[in-house]
Amino acid sequence: VPYTRGAEYSRPVLDVISEAKNLIQHGAKEICLLGQNVNAYHGVYKNKTLSLDELIMEVANLSGIKRIRYMTSHPVDMTEDLIQAHGKVNALIPYLHLPVQSGDNVVLKSMNRKYTAESYLKIIDKLKNVREDMAFSSDFIIGFPGETKKAFDNTLKLVDEVKYCQAYSFKYSRRPGTPGSILKGQVAEEIKVDRLSEIQTILNEQQLSFNKSFIGKNFDVLLERKGKKENQLVGKSPYMQAVHILTNEYMIGDIVKIHISNADKNSLEGNYI
């Protein structure tokens, strides 16, 4: 990404807070802190520099905020303070998109990711220790140059260990001008297709299992838009799942306690309590 978008920079803290306050005044209950590598944030605030966990604290202190999330993160910049924030800030949702790309250390080094599969899994464990209901989504690039069958199996092993609630997976695409495009060991297209199909089958099964685990349970849903059916509204759970309800008593922007009655891979259905 730096080759195409340039070096990272961080907006000043007061700019972010000012924008958040404006959103709250217009009815927002959830704030998403967004950046290409958001947990490397280092925004200027008065005469010092704040990290992402400190910015989260500032946002959490704003009146009216019910939910805070951030994306997209890089495992290298998951600091201890940021991990601990998940156990301290009630508004910080129990969900994190943490791209791993591969579960093989040789491939990760070739990608210049600067972490190992083992260090990534330690981050997952630490986050679960500070908040046991944490769930994770991720990104995977399948068929990166040099990915052997053993390397791909290591990725499947990591997927099995984490058990993601959602994931995005893609075949490696050779792009001119990128370091990967000139690496040896380019993977044949038919192998990439087969491997992508295999990992997507597993990831889809994990996502379905995660969603079905909420049947019969209750949680708060932030209503965001109208659904396709009459009197249907669609909202988001604390885990960013789409939740469909039939109601004429609530409005977009409300946070409603929902009893989940049905689930498929892509969404949940429920009734308000």
Side-chain angles (χ1 to χ4, degrees), residues 79-146:
T79 64
E80 289 294 332
D81 287 338
L82 183 55
I83 290 171
Q84 292 301 318
H86 282 270
K88 297 177 180 178
V89 182
N90 291 332
L92 199 52
I93 63 172
Y95 163 90
L96 180 63
H97 184 70
L98 191 62
V100 65
Q101 308 299 0
S102 173
D104 182 77
N105 291 339
V106 174
V107 173
L108 288 171
K109 184 177 181 179
S110 183
M111 288 179 170
N112 196 31
R113 294 291 288 177
K114 294 183 171 61
Y115 57 83
T116 64
E118 292 78 14
S119 64
Y120 178 89
L121 290 171
K122 284 182 180 179
I123 294 169
I124 298 291
D125 287 342
K126 287 179 180 180
L127 285 161
K128 287 182 177 180
N129 284 336
V130 299
R131 185 158 185 177
E132 62 182 10
D133 59 344
M134 282 290 296
F136 304 92
S137 63
S138 196
D139 295 339
F140 294 89
I141 296 176
I142 303 304
F144 192 81

Side-chain angles (χ1 to χ4, degrees), residues 4-67:
T4 57
R5 296 192 180 181
E8 294 175 351
Y9 67 94
S10 299
R11 294 177 62 197
V13 172
L14 291 179
D15 284 3
V16 178
I17 297 300
S18 176
E19 185 175 340
K21 287 180 177 178
N22 182 59
L23 290 168
I24 293 168
Q25 290 173 359
H26 287 83
K29 294 184 174 67
E30 177 184 285
I31 294 294
C32 177
L33 301 172
L34 182 66
Q36 180 60 46
N37 182 14
V38 69
N39 50 348
Y41 180 81
H42 50 281
V44 175
Y45 182 62
K46 298 179 180 178
N47 293 320
K48 58 182 180 178
T49 299
L50 298 193
S51 54
L52 181 63
D53 59 285
E54 293 170 312
L55 177 63
I56 289 171
M57 300 287 188
E58 294 292 331
V59 174
N61 288 332
L62 300 177
S63 178
I65 285 298
K66 302 299 182 183
R67 291 182 180 178

Side-chain angles (χ1 to χ4, degrees), residues 203-214 264-265:
L203 291 168
N204 287 340
E205 289 172 351
Q206 290 185 353
Q207 184 172 334
L208 177 61
S209 177
F210 180 79
N211 286 352
K212 284 189 172 183
S213 71
F214 291 96
D264 60 28
K265 184 179 79 72

